[in-house]
Amino acid sequence: MTLPNDERVIEAVAPQYNATLIRRVDHTDALAYFWVRFDGEPVPFDPGQYMTIGVFADGKLWQRPYSVASAPREAGEIGYEFYVRHVPIIRFTTLLWRLPVGQSMRMIGPKGRFLLEPADDRTHLFISTGTGIAPFVSMIRQTLADGRPRKTVVLHGCSFVDELGYWEELQTWQQDGTYPVTYVPTISRPDDPRNAGWTGRTGRVEQVVQSVCKNLGLRPDRTVVYICGNPDMILNSESVLMNLGFPEFHVKKELYWPKGKDAALLRG
Ligand SMILES: Cc1cc2nc3c(=O)[nH]c(=O)nc-3n(C[C@H](O)[C@H](O)[C@H](O)COP(=O)(O)OP(=O)(O)OC[C@H]3O[C@@H](n4cnc5c(N)ncnc54)[C@H](O)[C@@H]3O)c2cc1C
């Protein structure tokens, strides 16, 4: 990937900084996991909520919201885990990609109402594209740690196989029965050479959601649906679900950017 030349000077120290980037793991050249920890006590959050992280560059605070992927109970040790796509426009992620581990940052939150219902025994259908998988990983990790796993179907769409973040963890949960999850990855560009050898499901999330519901016997009255990520995918999936008879109040949504703001070359 050609990186835009972001020459803004990142400030190492600022009175507003209250957290530190403690770890980074690259998944592809455009996707990475970041762990940010408060310098003081961790702030409690619920799975599905987001934190806003930022740094000063050229005298201006650049900050953006990110869903937390880690479980709340881990925040004091490993910090808050984020799964982020590098957006090649000179805004926040071009700064984030330049930060060294140990960089001081600003982190505020939590915020958000994309939350699990307490003691909900319906089947949970988690639908996402790209980095929109993050809040679902937090939800599964926490309910697993609480010893209260919920019957779950994870439908995750990406353009390329190597973009399926958390693939291994989800596969393991499914295969060894650690969590009652059915993992359904789907690849939207099956003919691309990057996807050579892929024998799994193909098509965009909104194109496969109907068959997934039918094949897995997901009944509108016994299923709660959470959708996260790309706004067009969310609206299209919701419309398929409405046609299948899902009541609107059984569908919860988290949009990562406003509809109509799709940057060229990007898929969410
Ligand atoms: C509640 C909430 C939670 C979010 N959680 C995450 C998260 O966990 N991981 C994450 O990567 N992003 C997440 N985002 C998006 C994030 O806040 C930023 O918008 C994104 O990282 C791009 O920042 P930017 O400053 O570089 O560009 P921005 O000016 O913020 O966005 C420019 C354009 O980039 C595109 N874009 C933004 N986010 C993505 C994305 N994730 N994938 C593909 N294209 C994108 C959109 O077309 C957008 O209009 C979340 C947004 C919201 C509102």
Side-chain angles (χ1 to χ4, degrees):
M1 180 176 56
T2 318
L3 296 180
N5 204 13
D6 185 351
E7 292 179 342
R8 290 170 292 173
V9 176
I10 298 169
E11 277 142 61
V13 182
Q16 294 87 345
Y17 288 167
N18 60 351
T20 304
L21 175 64
I22 57 165
R23 188 176 170 218
R24 164 184 173 165
V25 172
D26 288 293
H27 183 81
T28 65
D29 60 357
L31 289 164
Y33 308 93
F34 297 87
W35 286 262
V36 181
R37 191 168 60 199
F38 280 116
D39 298 331
E41 286 300 302
V43 177
F45 71 96
D46 290 313
Q49 290 194 297
Y50 61 89
M51 306 294 286
T52 298
I53 56 172
V55 285
F56 280 88
D58 284 356
K60 177 182 167 184
L61 177 61
W62 290 86
Q63 57 182 352
R64 291 289 185 271
Y66 293 97
S67 303
V68 188
S70 42
R73 52 164 46 203
E74 303 169 312
E77 296 149 44
I78 65 161
Y80 299 71
E81 177 181 329
F82 305 109
Y83 180 45
V84 184
R85 176 178 291 278
H86 179 273
V87 175
I89 305 172
I90 296 185
R91 291 188 190 152
F92 179 65
T93 59
T94 50
L95 292 173
L96 182 62
W97 250 250
R98 292 170 53 210
L99 299 183
V101 168
Q103 166 79 39
S104 287
M105 303 186 72
R106 175 152 179 81
M107 178 158 67
I108 53 171
K111 275 195 172 173
R113 292 162 183 250
F114 191 62
L115 303 171
L116 291 172
E117 299 289 340
D120 187 346
D121 64 1
R122 291 174 291 181
T123 299
H124 290 53
L125 171 58
F126 293 159
I127 303 177
S128 63
T129 44
T131 51
I133 187 93
F136 303 136
V137 173
S138 177
M139 290 172 180
I140 294 176
R141 285 173 169 171
Q142 185 62 39
T143 48
L144 181 61
D146 290 344
R148 294 168 184 267
R150 300 172 179 204
K151 194 174 169 216
T152 301
V153 176
V154 173
L155 172 55
H156 187 205
C158 287
S159 301
F160 307 104
V161 179
D162 60 13
E163 294 187 323
L164 289 168
Y166 299 101
W167 153 277
E168 268 185 42
E169 206 164 348
L170 284 155
Q171 287 275 83
T172 306
W173 282 327
Q174 174 174 254
Q175 279 169 6
D176 70 10
T178 314
Y179 203 93
V181 62
T182 305
Y183 175 42
V184 188
T186 181
I187 297 303
S188 63
R189 299 190 198 177
D191 298 331
D192 190 286
R194 212 165 134 184
N195 292 321
W198 173 252
T199 54
R201 199 177 284 263
T202 59
R204 301 176 77 82
V205 156
E206 53 266 53
Q207 293 165 332
V208 304
V209 65
Q210 177 166 355
S211 63
V212 168
C213 287
K214 291 211 161 138
N215 294 347
L216 298 176
L218 302 180
R219 282 177 32 191
D221 59 330
R222 293 294 309 138
T223 307
V224 59
V225 188
Y226 291 73
I227 322 180
C228 181
N230 175 328
D232 287 318
M233 174 281 288
I234 293 177
L235 290 173
N236 294 337
S237 300
E238 194 185 16
S239 134
V240 173
L241 291 162
M242 298 296 118
N243 288 336
L244 290 174
F246 281 80
E248 206 173 341
F249 58 91
H250 282 204
V251 181
K252 297 165 185 267
K253 296 162 279 181
E254 181 84 305
L255 275 67
Y256 275 1
W257 64 92
K259 186 170 159 49
K261 287 270 180 177
D262 229 357
L265 304 173
L266 299 170
R267 288 287 173 274

